[in-house]
Amino acid sequence: MSSVVGYEKCPRCGGIFHYEFDCRSNEEWWFCNSCGRREGWHYERDKEGKIIYDENGNPKVEKDELAGYGTIYFSFEKFAVSYSIEKDVDIDEIKRTFLKDLENDEIIKEKCYLTIWDEEAQALKSEYGKIPETYDEFEERCKLKEGEEETS
């Protein structure tokens, strides 16, 4: 499988909006690990992974769209897990569950975070941990590294 991966500025929070485009299937996915925004599309598939077609012979497509109301992010030694928070959920229950899950000895607590989208302020706030860097901060950090490499 060949993919194109990259990032842009998240239109919701200004975070890093990652994308993956599957060159074989033309399916694509976008996600922001800061605010939880997710979008993209993929073909509907059966249990065997085969594409499902409609009555006219066209592949059925499923679109994924989630505005992004926060992120639950757990970091482990060799991987991380990110969950998007949906609108109108019990934030207090999410916090309680998140804090209980942090008791897992395999989780690297310093790298975990729980963010919530504040609709009134139109901004991301942290309930636990540090909010990930913004797209602009990431770009600036990359430019600084490039400058260091050029002078080395």
Side-chain angles (χ1 to χ4, degrees), residues 71-122:
T71 298
I72 300 165
Y73 188 90
F74 293 111
S75 182
F76 296 85
E77 186 176 331
K78 296 185 180 182
F79 67 96
V81 179
S82 174
Y83 301 97
S84 295
I85 297 174
E86 296 187 25
K87 189 175 184 173
D88 299 327
V89 296
D90 184 346
I91 297 301
D92 291 329
E93 179 61 30
I94 286 175
K95 287 183 211 175
R96 280 192 296 276
T97 303
F98 176 84
L99 293 172
K100 179 147 179 54
D101 289 344
L102 280 178
E103 295 172 10
N104 180 330
D105 292 337
E106 294 181 29
I107 290 177
I108 303 169
K109 294 165 188 56
E110 305 80 46
K111 294 183 178 181
C112 297
Y113 55 88
L114 170 60
T115 62
I116 303 294
W117 181 255
D118 184 331
E119 196 68 47
E120 187 176 310
Q122 290 292 294

Side-chain angles (χ1 to χ4, degrees), residues 6-152:
Y7 56 89
E8 291 182 4
K9 189 173 191 172
C10 177
R12 176 105 164 141
C13 72
I16 302 169
F17 203 36
H18 303 268
Y19 65 82
E20 179 178 355
F21 174 77
D22 185 322
C23 297
R24 182 181 49 80
S25 69
N26 293 329
E27 295 166 303
E28 64 182 284
W29 302 270
W30 295 77
F31 63 94
C32 177
N33 279 335
S34 297
C35 70
R37 182 182 179 106
R38 300 206 185 274
E39 56 187 65
W41 70 272
H42 60 275
Y43 295 115
E44 285 187 45
R45 298 179 187 274
D46 63 20
K47 291 180 181 178
E48 296 172 4
K50 294 179 183 172
I51 296 173
I52 298 171
Y53 294 88
D54 65 18
E55 60 279 353
N56 297 321
N58 298 314
K60 289 186 174 183
V61 172
E62 290 184 338
K63 291 191 178 201
D64 303 312
E65 289 188 52
L66 179 62
Y69 294 94
T71 298
I72 300 165
Y73 188 90
F74 293 111
S75 182
F76 296 85
E77 186 176 331
K78 296 185 180 182
F79 67 96
V81 179
S82 174
Y83 301 97
S84 295
I85 297 174
E86 296 187 25
K87 189 175 184 173
D88 299 327
V89 296
D90 184 346
I91 297 301
D92 291 329
E93 179 61 30
I94 286 175
K95 287 183 211 175
R96 280 192 296 276
T97 303
F98 176 84
L99 293 172
K100 179 147 179 54
D101 289 344
L102 280 178
E103 295 172 10
N104 180 330
D105 292 337
E106 294 181 29
I107 290 177
I108 303 169
K109 294 165 188 56
E110 305 80 46
K111 294 183 178 181
C112 297
Y113 55 88
L114 170 60
T115 62
I116 303 294
W117 181 255
D118 184 331
E119 196 68 47
E120 187 176 310
Q122 290 292 294
L124 205 55
K125 67 178 191 174
S126 173
E127 294 293 328
Y128 179 92
K130 184 180 174 201
I131 293 176
E133 67 186 339
T134 65
Y135 173 86
D136 293 336
E137 291 167 339
F138 175 72
E139 285 287 294
E140 187 62 31
R141 185 169 53 83
C142 290
K143 286 178 188 173
L144 290 173
K145 279 188 177 181
E146 286 175 9
E148 289 172 8
E149 291 172 4
E150 290 172 6
T151 59
S152 300

